[in-house]
Amino acid sequence: MHAPSAGEIVAANSNHWRKIINLLAKVASPQEDDWRRFRDSDLFEHTALCFEPALKEEGCWHWIAGQANLQRFVSLDHHAAVLPEDAEIAVDGARRLLLSPYPDYRQLSNQRVARIREALAQAGFYGGVAF
């Protein structure tokens, strides 16, 4: 399957999707300051957006975001630990899960993205498989 271009998705949709894709790139980019290049050239080579309430593959990370979406995974067996400085974000490194508020700038400020990146780095995300 051909990986879509972030630019094509944004152009075909709305500003809403631009925000989601930018936040996905900010979190997933191996180099924090290089997220724009990562978004435009590599994002969908290493990540995917899924809309089914099930984890897709073993061995890859899953980011489940937004209160309504989190409810669809209520029966998911995990041990996600809430970040000490932010009770709305949790990471389960063993199960490779990130649980967070909806990916919107009002919900995920740059400060929150930095906290997520730090937690993912501690869990080995940036040396392993992306979302």
Side-chain angles (χ1 to χ4, degrees), residues 28-76:
S29 176
Q31 300 298 318
E32 183 175 5
D33 295 337
D34 196 28
W35 69 267
R36 286 177 185 86
R37 186 211 53 79
F38 181 79
R39 174 198 62 202
D40 296 341
S41 63
D42 296 329
L43 179 64
F44 290 112
E45 296 293 328
H46 301 281
T47 64
L49 298 173
C50 299
F51 298 96
E52 294 179 22
L55 301 183
K56 290 297 177 192
E57 288 183 35
E58 290 296 321
C60 67
W61 280 83
H62 292 82
W63 180 2
I64 304 171
Q67 186 175 18
N69 199 32
L70 288 167
Q71 292 303 313
R72 296 177 351 146
F73 289 89
V74 73
S75 64
L76 181 63

Side-chain angles (χ1 to χ4, degrees):
M1 177 178 236
H2 172 69
S5 133
E8 290 171 356
I9 292 173
V10 170
N13 289 282
S14 66
N15 190 42
H16 175 74
W17 279 102
R18 180 188 62 81
K19 293 175 186 178
I20 292 170
I21 290 171
N22 282 352
L23 284 165
L24 178 58
K26 284 183 175 187
V27 169
S29 176
Q31 300 298 318
E32 183 175 5
D33 295 337
D34 196 28
W35 69 267
R36 286 177 185 86
R37 186 211 53 79
F38 181 79
R39 174 198 62 202
D40 296 341
S41 63
D42 296 329
L43 179 64
F44 290 112
E45 296 293 328
H46 301 281
T47 64
L49 298 173
C50 299
F51 298 96
E52 294 179 22
L55 301 183
K56 290 297 177 192
E57 288 183 35
E58 290 296 321
C60 67
W61 280 83
H62 292 82
W63 180 2
I64 304 171
Q67 186 175 18
N69 199 32
L70 288 167
Q71 292 303 313
R72 296 177 351 146
F73 289 89
V74 73
S75 64
L76 181 63
D77 181 34
H78 67 80
H79 302 319
V82 172
L83 300 188
E85 60 280 343
D86 198 326
E88 291 188 277
I89 300 170
V91 174
D92 181 341
R95 195 76 198 271
R96 296 185 175 202
L97 290 173
L98 166 61
L99 310 175
S100 81
Y102 191 79
D104 178 272
Y105 293 130
R106 292 169 290 182
Q107 301 289 330
L108 291 179
S109 64
N110 285 337
Q111 184 178 25
R112 274 186 150 174
V113 168
R115 286 185 200 135
I116 289 170
R117 288 186 59 83
E118 183 178 326
L120 291 176
Q122 290 174 358
F125 174 82
Y126 297 104
V129 182
F131 296 106

